[in-house]
Amino acid sequence: MTDLAAVKRALTAQRIETPSWAYANSGTRFKVFTQPGVPRNPEEKIADAATVHRFTGVAPAVALHIPWDKVDDYRALTAYARDLGVEIGAINTNVFQDDDYKLGSVTNPDAGIRRKATDHLLEAIDIMGQTGSRDLKLWFSDGINYPGQDDLRDRQDRLAAALREAYDRLTGDQRILLEYKLFEPAFYATDVPDWGTSYAHCLELGERATVCIDTGHHAPSTNIEFIVAFLLRQKKLGAFDFNSRFYADDDLMVGAADPFQLFRIMYEIVRGGALDPAYGIAFMLDQCHNIERKIPAIIRSVMNVQEATAKALLVDREALTKAQQSGDVLEANAVFMDAYNTDVRPLLAEVRTDAGLDPDPVAAYRRSGYDEKIIADRVGGTQAGWGA
Ligand code: PSV
Ligand code: MN
């Protein structure tokens, strides 16, 4: 039997971090469709993130991307965020947009370019010191397009050297989250293509380095929950970048493409005792809202994670273990599916009402007038964009 009070406590304590860049204009390589009311600076992105937190109650941190969110005074930005009720979360590095990085950043054959990229990682760690961020999230677009273009193994050595330098700069509770991605922008070989490569580098680095799973970064049909279970067992899972995909790295709303996969992932999190924020996993979103209104889409995404989590918490673990141990394949699967097929929306509505929130965060946002206000206020200036 599931302890409903414990399920509600776990849902109330859940934390989800939203990304500053999801509030900005974004698109595909073919077209960016701009939207009215989009933030023009990091402060306005933070205000939007605070709005998501106000309506959901479980999104109290916003991840920054440097240099997209570069400011002169990070302490002032942090104080501004705190006044609005949110913290600065992970600091994301960007070693993929300068012309210098055409042949790679930390794996570039040119030592000068490697130095520049590594210095950027160190700069991000300095910023973490000023914002109080715990997490340095590293994603490298590094890779090659053609067989023979560069030496695959040398590139691993260069990567390891840069990671070591950044790792040695960490202090206090700071840590590295190393993200992997199968392909794009490199099309033949990527330098951190999969969880195994990330895991091996993290292992070499030490305790403060863990893997970040971006759910959109795998080959089709990859069993992501297996990766979650494996990394949890090794104490090497540090974070998620949640989003969903139908084809490649689509960055659609998490839970939109495959809510069953999200449930299976969250079940492994619950099974591993890793849902509690004290465990240390950063549950982040990494999405782009190219055609839909951004703030309600992010609220919806947070709710999708909550729904998958609620279902995972409802799995009757005792009944499941009993069925598994007696080899009752059908019953084990039925117990699992019973939880997945439960409509958890009334339960989550109760959790929200108990927390003093509106049970329907999207409707409450729509009624609030915030959307109309940002459209009216944010006129002039330059809208923030993915890559701007
Ligand atoms: C790369 O595709 C990625 O998932 C990384 O997390 C980046 O930091 C993020 O997207 C934004 O470009
Ligand atoms: Mn990502």
Side-chain angles (χ1 to χ4, degrees):
M1 273 304 289
T2 321
D3 176 354
L4 258 192
V7 168
K8 281 179 157 188
R9 276 198 303 278
L11 290 169
T12 309
Q14 184 169 26
R15 292 291 170 258
I16 296 157
E17 183 168 320
T18 72
S20 69
W21 56 98
Y23 301 97
N25 281 325
S26 58
T28 65
R29 62 183 142 141
F30 301 105
K31 171 74 180 161
V32 173
F33 296 102
T34 59
Q35 294 190 17
V38 157
R40 295 160 300 172
N41 51 48
E43 286 81 1
E44 289 178 351
K45 293 180 199 170
I46 289 172
D48 289 356
T51 303
V52 170
H53 181 46
R54 188 151 60 88
F55 289 102
T56 61
V58 294
V62 53
L64 300 186
H65 216 296
I66 307 298
W68 302 342
D69 296 315
K70 210 170 178 132
V71 291
D72 290 334
D73 188 343
Y74 288 98
R75 288 182 206 282
L77 189 71
T78 308
Y80 172 83
R82 283 218 178 107
D83 285 348
L84 293 181
V86 288
E87 307 257 306
I88 306 295
I91 301 297
N92 287 253
T93 50
N94 183 328
V95 283
F96 50 89
Q97 280 187 310
D98 283 6
D99 284 339
D100 275 345
Y101 300 141
K102 185 167 78 173
L103 301 181
S105 65
V106 294
T107 66
N108 197 297
D110 182 311
I113 294 172
R114 296 205 294 277
R115 184 67 260 151
K116 170 179 164 171
T118 309
D119 282 344
H120 175 69
L121 311 187
L122 302 181
E123 177 199 359
I125 298 171
D126 282 350
I127 294 171
M128 290 163 71
Q130 296 167 56
T131 55
S133 300
R134 178 191 58 181
D135 296 332
L136 175 71
K137 179 142 75 69
L138 303 178
W139 172 67
F140 298 105
S141 60
D142 297 45
I144 57 181
N145 270 5
Y146 295 99
Q149 180 189 320
D150 194 8
D151 189 86
L152 289 173
R153 193 162 151 181
D154 284 350
R155 291 176 76 92
Q156 287 299 310
D157 292 340
R158 298 172 199 149
L159 170 68
L163 287 172
R164 169 56 58 199
E165 206 177 323
Y167 187 89
D168 287 345
R169 188 64 76 89
L170 301 174
T171 54
D173 67 348
Q174 292 175 343
R175 38 178 220 170
I176 279 179
L177 306 173
L178 182 56
E179 185 173 348
Y180 58 90
K181 178 170 173 174
L182 181 60
F183 82 103
E184 196 198 26
F187 293 121
Y188 161 59
T190 297
D191 294 315
V192 190
D194 54 24
W195 69 268
T197 309
S198 173
Y199 171 71
H201 280 284
C202 288
L203 213 56
E204 211 174 294
L205 287 170
E207 252 185 7
R208 292 157 172 276
T210 51
V211 180
C212 171
I213 299 179
D214 184 313
T215 48
H217 287 186
H218 305 85
S221 303
T222 298
N223 183 336
I224 300 176
E225 61 270 25
F226 171 80
I227 302 170
V228 173
F230 182 93
L231 291 176
L232 280 177
R233 184 169 177 273
Q234 301 295 330
K235 304 203 170 16
K236 277 293 182 195
L237 178 58
F240 286 94
D241 266 6
F242 280 133
N243 51 57
S244 63
R245 53 81 67 87
F246 286 98
Y247 299 103
D249 186 18
D250 305 351
D251 280 340
L252 299 173
M253 293 186 295
V254 59
D258 190 348
F260 184 40
Q261 178 189 65
L262 184 59
F263 160 76
R264 299 189 313 258
I265 290 172
M266 292 314 297
Y267 174 72
E268 288 307 326
I269 290 292
V270 169
R271 153 74 179 80
L275 183 62
D276 188 333
Y279 187 95
I281 293 190
F283 296 93
M284 307 182 285
L285 306 182
D286 178 9
Q287 303 183 159
C288 291
H289 306 288
N290 300 348
I291 57 170
E292 66 274 27
R293 290 298 288 165
K294 296 162 199 303
I295 296 172
I298 297 168
I299 293 175
R300 179 78 249 166
S301 308
V302 168
M303 293 170 69
N304 287 350
V305 177
Q306 288 182 296
E307 284 172 23
T309 308
K311 291 176 185 213
L313 287 162
L314 287 179
V315 172
D316 186 338
R317 301 268 300 279
E318 227 173 279
L320 183 63
T321 307
K322 197 165 156 228
Q324 288 173 341
Q325 291 185 353
S326 62
D328 193 338
V329 176
L330 284 180
E331 178 59 15
N333 181 243
V335 170
F336 210 64
M337 295 311 294
D338 270 351
Y340 177 65
N341 287 320
T342 307
D343 182 359
V344 292
R345 290 172 299 179
L347 172 67
L348 280 161
E350 253 178 64
V351 168
R352 292 187 188 110
T353 307
D354 291 352
L357 297 164
D358 193 290
D360 183 345
V362 173
Y365 172 76
R366 290 213 169 107
R367 281 194 313 271
S368 72
Y370 187 86
D371 218 55
E372 291 76 5
K373 188 169 170 3
I374 55 175
I375 290 172
D377 288 354
R378 295 176 183 171
V379 179
T382 309
Q383 292 189 320
W386 189 97

